[in-house]
Amino acid sequence: MASSSVSFSSLHLQMQFPSSKLPTPKNFKFEPTLQLASVSDKLSIAPPTPPPPPPATNVVLPEPKKLPIRKIPGDYGLPLIGPWIDRQDYFYNQGRDEFFRSRIQKFQSTVFRTNMPPGPLISCNSKVIALLDGKSFPALFDTDNVEKKDLFTGTFMPSTELTGGYRVLSYLDPSEPNHANLKKMMFFLLSHRRDQVIPEFQNCYTEMFENLEGELATKGKASFGQANDQAAFNFLARSLYGANPADSKLGSDGPKLVSKWVLFQLHPLLVLGLPRPVEDGILHNFSLPPFLIKKDYQRLYDFFYQNSTPILDQAEKLGVSRDEACHNLLFATCFNSFGGMKIFFPNMLKWVGRAGLKLHTKLAQEIRSVIRSNDGKITMGAMERMPLMKSTVYEALRIEPPVPSQYAKAKRDFVVESHNAAFRIKEGEILFGFQPFATKDPKIFDRSDEFLPDRFIGENGDKLLKHVVWSNGPETERSTVDNKQCAGKDFVVLVSRFLLVELFLRYDSFDIEAAVSPLGASVTLTSLKRASF
């Protein structure tokens, strides 16, 4: 899921809930039961009465067996000038979505050549082949044909001085020797304290909801961003490392330090609302010097090193030094996991909030009914029996994935197919995929621009999950040491489900105001209606 501010608050996704004690539904007992196997696996639990089949919202058109080979349309323009013009269109003249949409219309193709920001002087090569439909996009996952070395952020790689001098796991290709060992370490991280995930989530987000209720009561509205940031960081530290940041030298500074550090990595790709000569002339042309963030990063490193002894021990058994392992743990926890929760939780709340009372009532009824039938226990098995809740999470991941852009470089010549044509890719060419266009492909998803919470219910919905690719791979596949699918894929889905469960155990409904922020959505709560049934 993968992700800051100059008054760094502009990069905090505004997500907050109010405070004052909430009435927990009677007879609810909290007994965590957690297995970090795929959350999509069917559990041996008697299902509730199946819901009626949803309306036909899923359409996959048959493809012709033989597609015509077409020359890839588009060009890169003159050196320096072409990348600069495309960057102005992308950030300012058109905006991101219109930048892609206008070129699809111009070339009558969802596959075309263009430059991607930031371009010179930060990136030595801005030339990409864009893949903007659900059929061509999976070429980015084909490790036989493409590699991901140093292409995690985009057409540039931030200085390794920001990560202790190491190329961390996200920038390694599966073909590189250290990739498998570091990914095994991440799997160990997610499993060794798995019994603490559910209780610590409940502890941290109960505190957040109570604080937000208090803010709502005193101010009439409550910002979700900073409260969610603090809750997410505390949850990750407590559940995965057994450490409470408030009891350490970090105190409550963790989210602020992470946001500043992320800014130093992603500023070439962000619009921060600064004067254009400053933002585009400086932040999109020159990398911020890492020494400015060195002391803040050291505070984060010290916290993780002091509290990750079992994981560092395991890393040494895998042949990874404790220092390299700690820098990777910091990146995975703060950039990947915290960044994913920072971006996706407000995005999901925005879509669910906009859907209104009808959806809220259905979710509250489903969640409370299942928990009551499960003797008041909140378990993974119980959550597997909530088809609407699960579908709602998948639909939020589909319509607004937390990491929209993905990159890869062709290892060899091969052919990629869109719905209408085939295109020859040459060895060494960089492929770029803009995921929101792929996951809103109207030839795969009916009413693709609409948020349909029940889209993934039933047999038809199950078939569509392979087209939900937020994790750098299909939702129906597992993350392994041989692919680049997110190691925490199932963890992210789990905590996203749990957020909805916690929310609708407490509240019948809620109202929001939403705006755009540099990273995802800025969400403000304007009302919370406490549970009444």
Side-chain angles (χ1 to χ4, degrees):
M1 245 144 223
S3 317
S4 233
S5 123
V6 176
S7 67
F8 300 102
S9 60
S10 64
L11 289 181
H12 292 308
L13 299 180
Q14 301 300 310
M15 191 175 168
Q16 300 184 341
F17 290 92
S19 210
S20 72
K21 299 291 182 183
L22 300 176
T24 304
K26 293 182 179 179
N27 302 322
F28 279 10
K29 294 183 291 182
F30 182 75
E31 296 187 13
T33 302
L34 174 64
Q35 303 173 13
L36 283 176
S38 171
V39 294
S40 299
D41 290 347
K42 304 297 182 185
L43 302 183
S44 55
I45 297 173
T49 303
T57 59
N58 310 318
V59 176
V60 180
L61 299 182
E63 299 289 349
K65 292 183 179 180
K66 189 74 173 177
L67 291 169
I69 296 289
R70 180 183 175 187
K71 180 182 177 181
I72 301 174
D75 62 63
Y76 304 114
L78 295 174
L80 297 180
I81 296 176
W84 182 83
I85 291 174
D86 283 345
R87 189 175 77 203
Q88 301 310 301
D89 285 345
Y90 182 88
F91 284 130
Y92 305 108
N93 299 334
Q94 295 178 302
R96 185 186 64 181
D97 288 12
E98 184 57 29
F99 177 87
F100 297 122
R101 192 176 294 113
S102 65
R103 283 154 179 77
I104 290 174
Q105 294 172 351
K106 177 180 177 181
F107 301 126
Q108 291 297 295
S109 175
T110 52
V111 177
F112 55 83
R113 298 183 185 276
T114 189
N115 296 286
M116 282 300 294
L121 302 166
I122 292 176
S123 172
C124 62
N125 180 13
S126 61
K127 300 175 181 178
V128 305
I129 298 170
L131 310 177
L132 302 182
D133 63 81
K135 187 175 181 184
S136 64
F137 192 88
L140 294 158
F141 313 141
D142 185 353
T143 55
D144 290 334
N145 289 325
V146 304
E147 69 173 16
K148 300 274 193 169
K149 183 177 179 180
D150 297 341
L151 289 172
F152 173 68
T153 309
T155 59
F156 74 103
M157 180 180 171
S159 171
T160 56
E161 292 183 48
L162 294 166
T163 50
Y166 298 100
R167 293 171 57 242
V168 293
L169 177 61
S170 292
Y171 290 95
L172 299 180
D173 185 72
S175 63
E176 297 183 75
N178 217 24
H179 179 274
N181 291 333
L182 286 171
K183 201 161 188 182
K184 288 176 183 176
M185 181 186 74
M186 296 308 169
F187 291 147
F188 179 81
L189 168 68
L190 292 167
S191 66
H192 89 291
R193 283 178 54 84
R194 59 187 177 272
D195 292 339
Q196 298 303 312
V197 170
I198 291 179
E200 290 297 353
F201 189 97
Q202 185 180 55
N203 292 338
C204 293
Y205 277 82
T206 292
E207 181 181 349
M208 183 196 75
F209 284 129
E210 291 176 350
N211 289 339
L212 289 169
E213 278 208 353
E215 185 177 351
L216 191 63
T218 57
K219 298 180 181 179
K221 57 175 61 178
S223 175
F224 189 64
Q226 291 183 2
N228 176 64
D229 286 358
Q230 193 67 63
F233 189 85
N234 289 346
F235 159 67
L236 292 168
R238 293 181 195 176
S239 63
L240 300 180
Y241 300 94
N244 184 7
D247 298 332
S248 74
K249 292 181 180 180
L250 271 186
S252 60
D253 291 343
K256 178 181 66 177
L257 299 178
V258 172
S259 293
K260 291 167 64 176
W261 172 65
V262 169
L263 173 65
F264 273 63
Q265 298 176 69
L266 295 184
H267 69 83
L269 303 176
L270 300 177
V271 175
L272 303 175
L274 299 173
R276 188 160 168 178
V278 174
E279 186 172 81
D280 196 61
I282 298 177
L283 297 183
H284 295 160
N285 277 314
F286 305 97
S287 296
L288 294 173
F291 76 85
L292 294 176
I293 201 74
K294 186 174 182 179
K295 289 184 179 179
D296 289 337
Y297 182 78
Q298 188 65 44
R299 290 182 65 191
L300 290 168
Y301 178 89
D302 291 345
F303 174 81
F304 284 97
Y305 194 91
Q306 292 162 7
N307 295 291
S308 57
T309 298
I311 308 114
L312 299 181
D313 291 343
Q314 180 67 18
E316 285 192 315
K317 294 177 184 178
L318 294 168
V320 180
S321 73
R322 298 178 82 85
D323 185 54
E324 181 175 9
C326 187
H327 287 292
N328 272 273
L329 291 173
L330 193 164
F331 192 94
T333 306
C334 296
F335 194 106
N336 299 135
S337 300
F338 172 79
M341 295 172 74
K342 175 184 177 71
I343 294 172
F344 182 64
F345 278 15
N347 285 353
M348 181 169 67
L349 200 71
K350 175 188 70 178
W351 289 104
V352 173
R354 286 175 173 173
L357 180 60
K358 185 176 180 181
L359 173 63
H360 300 174
T361 301
K362 289 182 177 179
L363 284 169
Q365 289 172 338
E366 177 184 81
I367 290 167
R368 296 173 198 176
S369 173
V370 170
I371 296 302
R372 289 188 180 106
S373 71
N374 200 48
D375 297 326
K377 302 173 185 176
I378 303 173
T379 64
M380 279 191 67
M383 289 192 287
E384 282 294 326
R385 295 159 52 199
M386 302 175 186
L388 179 60
M389 181 276 291
K390 291 165 53 182
S391 178
T392 300
V393 171
Y394 287 137
E395 178 69 346
L397 287 165
R398 177 198 74 86
I399 201 164
E400 195 168 7
V403 182
S405 300
Q406 291 170 2
Y407 293 81
K409 181 185 288 186
K411 290 180 178 179
R412 56 179 62 86
D413 293 357
F414 70 101
V415 174
V416 65
E417 294 184 351
S418 68
H419 293 292
N420 302 316
F423 305 88
R424 299 189 193 279
I425 307 297
K426 298 296 183 182
E427 179 182 353
E429 292 186 308
I430 296 178
L431 305 178
F432 159 79
F434 185 59
Q435 190 175 154
F437 277 38
T439 54
K440 289 187 282 189
D441 186 337
K443 292 192 175 182
I444 295 174
F445 297 101
D446 186 36
R447 297 163 64 189
S448 58
D449 287 330
E450 297 181 40
F451 180 73
L452 303 180
D454 60 356
R455 187 185 296 275
F456 296 99
I457 291 178
E459 185 176 351
N460 289 338
D462 287 343
K463 290 178 180 178
L464 277 187
L465 280 176
K466 68 179 180 180
H467 300 290
V468 178
V469 291
W470 68 272
S471 62
N472 203 20
E475 187 60 33
T476 50
E477 296 184 9
R478 293 178 182 271
S479 176
T480 72
V481 297
D482 298 317
N483 64 29
K484 286 299 292 180
Q485 193 156 25
C486 174
K489 163 181 173 284
D490 296 323
F491 180 81
V492 171
V493 173
L494 171 66
V495 296
S496 300
R497 291 177 177 180
F498 202 58
L499 178 65
L500 289 187
V501 170
E502 284 291 307
L503 179 62
F504 286 104
L505 285 178
R506 294 171 175 274
Y507 308 109
D508 289 343
S509 185
F510 63 96
D511 295 307
I512 61 159
E513 295 172 353
V516 176
S517 81
L519 294 173
S522 168
V523 171
T524 300
L525 289 163
T526 57
S527 74
L528 286 166
K529 300 176 178 64
R530 292 188 181 188
S532 61
F533 61 89

